[in-house]
């Protein structure tokens, strides 16, 4: 594969991760193996790319997946030969990691969907993007590498539609607004994300749907996709997501984690070029909690 750099100044490994479907870890592996060429020459990860540089890289071959296909119930909202859309339940980890080698979305996908892309390696077959364990909702799944690359490129170009609904603490002063604040790893707690000047660009749009006095139902649209973006941004403006044990207060609504649901997902179909949009209803605990707030 080959790309041409339009804007320079980034490290080579970061440029690969930003401009291609490769994750940064896979990009570094390819660079160390000498599989990445800049203008025909192998470069180190710290090389600063220049405008006009031609970067050649390879899509890793699909390795044999060691993770076990598990017969876990999974709501497949849509599926064809190229893509699938699934509604991830709250409490399910997206891909295997230390401490989570089974019961993940990947384990379920390996059982329900036989063909999955291999761009992100054996741990994340078919996974184009992810949502947190205790966030429910829609995810796009790639069934071949060509589809994966096109979907990933659309995500990075900020053209995909990703709308969430959330119950947040407090009564927002404005009916709609934009939160634009960079997000990066917290200096105080390396397990958390935070708004920091050293972080990456992050932009979230919000619109109030219902007000309940102490809580507000909001619709949130992601323009970027940083780790924990909605949870960090809402906490930053003083209205953390209800049920969020990491970024919110101890006194909150009782549920199964944060009241945050990826409700609407839209993207350009990688084969047909058609704009497709899907929606998924909030989990039962979310809907029941809303009814209690309305009655109160």
């Amino acid at each position: 594969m080959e790309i041409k750099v339009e804007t320079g100044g980034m490290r080579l490994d970061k440029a690969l991760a930003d401009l291609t479907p490769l994750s940064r870890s896979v990009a570094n592996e390819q660079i160390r193996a000498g599989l990445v060429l800049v203008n025909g020459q192998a470069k180190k990860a710290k090389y600063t790319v220049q405008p006009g540089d031609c970067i050649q890289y390879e899509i890793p071959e699909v390795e044999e997946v060691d993770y076990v296909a598990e017969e876990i119930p999974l709501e497949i909202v849509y599926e064809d030969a190229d893509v699938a859309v699934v509604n991830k339940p709250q409490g399910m980890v997206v891909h295997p990691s230390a401490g989570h080698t089974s019961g993940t979305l990947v384990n379920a996908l390996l059982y329900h969907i036989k063909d999955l892309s291999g761009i992100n390696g054996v741990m994340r077959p078919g996974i184009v993007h992810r949502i947190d364990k205790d966030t429910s909702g829609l995810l796009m799944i790639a069934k071949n590498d060509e589809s994966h690359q096109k979907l990933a490129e659309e995500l990075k170009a900020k053209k995909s539609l990703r709308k969430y609904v959330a119950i947040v603490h407090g009564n927002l002063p404005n009916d709609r607004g934009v939160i634009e604040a960079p997000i990066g790893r917290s200096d105080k707690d390396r397990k958390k994300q935070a708004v920091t000047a050293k972080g990456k660009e992050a932009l979230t749009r919000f619109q109030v749907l219902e007000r309940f006095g102490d809580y507000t139902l909001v619709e949130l649209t992601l323009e970027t996709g940083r780790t924990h973006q909605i949870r960090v941004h809402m906490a930053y403006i003083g209205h953390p997501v209800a049920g969020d044990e990491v970024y919110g207060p101890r006194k909150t609504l009782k549920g199964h984690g944060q009241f945050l649901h990826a409700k609407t997902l839209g993207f350009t179909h990688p084969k047909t070029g058609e704009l497709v949009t899907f929606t998924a209803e909030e989990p039962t605990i979310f809907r029941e909690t809303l009814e209690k707030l309305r009655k109160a």
Side-chain angles (χ1 to χ4, degrees), residues 108-221:
L109 287 173
L110 291 172
Y111 179 86
H112 292 281
I113 301 176
K114 302 307 177 186
D115 299 316
L116 295 166
S117 68
I119 284 180
N120 273 344
V122 297
M123 290 181 66
R124 305 179 186 184
I127 302 297
V128 182
H129 62 128
R130 61 179 182 168
I131 53 180
D132 301 331
K133 172 189 172 186
D134 290 328
T135 298
S136 57
L138 297 174
L139 286 169
M140 62 179 84
I141 305 298
K143 297 184 66 175
N144 53 63
D145 288 354
E146 181 182 358
S147 295
H148 192 131
Q149 183 160 357
K150 288 182 178 179
L151 292 171
E153 287 172 354
E154 186 173 62
L155 271 174
K156 288 180 178 179
K158 304 172 188 174
K159 294 179 180 178
S160 301
L161 176 65
R162 288 172 292 167
K163 287 189 176 183
Y164 291 67
V165 288
I167 303 173
V168 301
H169 282 267
N171 193 359
L172 275 74
N174 301 309
D175 287 338
R176 64 180 68 226
V178 177
I179 308 166
E180 190 170 8
I183 292 176
R185 195 175 296 278
S186 170
D187 292 329
K188 297 178 181 178
D189 185 343
R190 302 300 289 173
K191 294 181 180 179
K192 296 172 65 174
Q193 301 294 304
V195 170
T196 169
K198 296 181 292 183
K200 295 181 178 180
E201 171 199 13
L203 193 152
T204 306
R205 300 183 187 278
F206 71 84
Q207 180 175 342
V208 171
L209 299 178
E210 286 186 68
R211 297 180 184 275
F212 309 107
D214 292 334
Y215 295 95
T216 305
L217 177 67
V218 293
E219 178 185 77
L220 302 128
T221 302

Side-chain angles (χ1 to χ4, degrees), residues 25-154:
S25 60
V26 173
N28 272 293
E29 289 173 9
Q30 294 238 357
I31 292 168
R32 285 194 295 268
L35 300 175
V36 178
L37 303 179
V38 181
N39 304 323
Q41 296 184 331
K43 297 289 185 181
K44 293 185 178 181
K46 65 181 180 181
Y47 169 78
T48 302
V49 299
Q50 304 298 319
D53 276 353
C54 180
I55 302 176
Q56 294 175 302
Y57 67 99
E58 295 183 8
I59 298 294
E61 290 186 10
V62 180
E63 302 174 47
E64 184 179 346
V65 178
D66 294 324
Y67 296 102
V68 178
E70 298 178 18
E71 191 175 357
I72 302 169
L74 183 64
E75 182 184 352
I76 300 175
V77 177
Y78 174 82
E79 183 181 5
D80 61 26
D82 300 286
V83 298
V85 175
V86 300
N87 185 15
K88 186 190 82 68
Q90 194 173 33
M92 177 183 276
V93 174
V94 169
H95 58 77
S97 61
H100 292 103
T101 57
S102 66
T104 71
L105 177 63
V106 164
N107 296 112
L109 287 173
L110 291 172
Y111 179 86
H112 292 281
I113 301 176
K114 302 307 177 186
D115 299 316
L116 295 166
S117 68
I119 284 180
N120 273 344
V122 297
M123 290 181 66
R124 305 179 186 184
I127 302 297
V128 182
H129 62 128
R130 61 179 182 168
I131 53 180
D132 301 331
K133 172 189 172 186
D134 290 328
T135 298
S136 57
L138 297 174
L139 286 169
M140 62 179 84
I141 305 298
K143 297 184 66 175
N144 53 63
D145 288 354
E146 181 182 358
S147 295
H148 192 131
Q149 183 160 357
K150 288 182 178 179
L151 292 171
E153 287 172 354
E154 186 173 62

Side-chain angles (χ1 to χ4, degrees), residues 254-278:
K254 292 182 180 180
H256 305 308
Q258 60 265 10
F259 286 85
L260 179 61
H261 176 68
K263 185 166 186 172
T264 304
L265 177 65
F267 55 89
T268 304
H269 192 284
K271 183 67 71 175
T272 67
E274 177 189 3
L275 178 61
V276 291
T277 305
F278 305 92

